[in-house]
Amino acid sequence: MSRSTKLPTEAELLAAADDEYMSPAQLAFFRQRLLDEEAALRGAAEETTHHLQDNAAEPDPNDRASAEEEHTLELRVRDRERKLLKKIGQALKRIDDGSYGWCEDTGEPIGIARLLARPTASLCLEAQERHEQKRRQFGG
């Protein structure tokens, strides 16, 4: 799909016929959404790096403790975002290999609504629920 081609809207994706599922236009939409999210996450990571480098040591112990707590929280958020970047990369690979939008467990469609909510999803809702239930039962 060329850059000049208009991507479908979310409403158009939701209204599309079942036989259009994971059409080139839909794949282009999700590729762009994933690339946009990836760029935003990389920008936030760069901003965090600059923020952590720019902050000078605080002479007051209370201020220093507050700054360290803030840095710890910021690094935790960035760690979650790093994991999300990995999932975005995996989703982009699935778009490239033609498996995006199809459940890794069942082979069934994941569904447009679920992909709009979580573009990195690799399992349909039922398979995801089974996976989470097993993880809760077995502590994984």
Side-chain angles (χ1 to χ4, degrees):
M1 185 164 261
S2 70
R3 288 235 179 245
S4 62
T5 305
K6 184 178 161 283
L7 294 175
T9 64
E10 287 187 17
E12 290 169 335
L13 289 175
L14 290 168
D18 289 346
D19 64 347
E20 292 180 37
Y21 188 71
M22 291 301 109
S23 67
Q26 291 179 348
L27 290 172
F29 173 90
F30 285 109
R31 177 184 300 281
Q32 190 58 54
R33 174 154 295 184
L34 289 161
L35 290 172
D36 291 346
E37 190 169 351
E38 180 182 48
L41 290 171
R42 290 193 188 283
E46 190 173 314
E47 188 177 302
T48 296
T49 301
H50 292 303
H51 179 251
L52 293 175
Q53 289 171 345
D54 291 344
N55 281 339
E58 299 284 344
D60 179 59
N62 290 328
D63 290 342
R64 189 170 44 247
S66 293
E68 287 176 9
E69 182 64 28
E70 187 178 303
H71 291 165
T72 299
L73 179 60
E74 199 167 348
L75 289 172
R76 251 189 243 136
V77 168
R78 295 300 165 244
D79 186 52
R80 281 196 298 274
E81 290 176 349
R82 178 188 54 80
K83 292 173 184 171
L84 182 55
L85 280 170
K86 183 178 177 185
K87 289 181 179 184
I88 289 171
Q90 293 167 342
L92 290 168
K93 285 180 186 172
R94 288 194 305 275
I95 288 174
D96 292 340
D97 72 20
S99 63
Y100 184 81
W102 303 95
C103 180
E104 289 180 350
D105 279 359
T106 67
E108 296 292 318
I110 292 173
I112 296 294
R114 176 157 166 72
L115 290 170
L116 287 171
R118 186 174 299 274
T120 58
S122 61
L123 299 172
C124 63
L125 191 56
E126 295 79 18
Q128 182 68 38
E129 288 171 350
R130 282 193 305 272
H131 178 75
E132 289 174 5
Q133 186 176 24
K134 283 181 186 175
R135 191 170 49 209
R136 281 190 302 270
Q137 284 178 332
F138 302 112

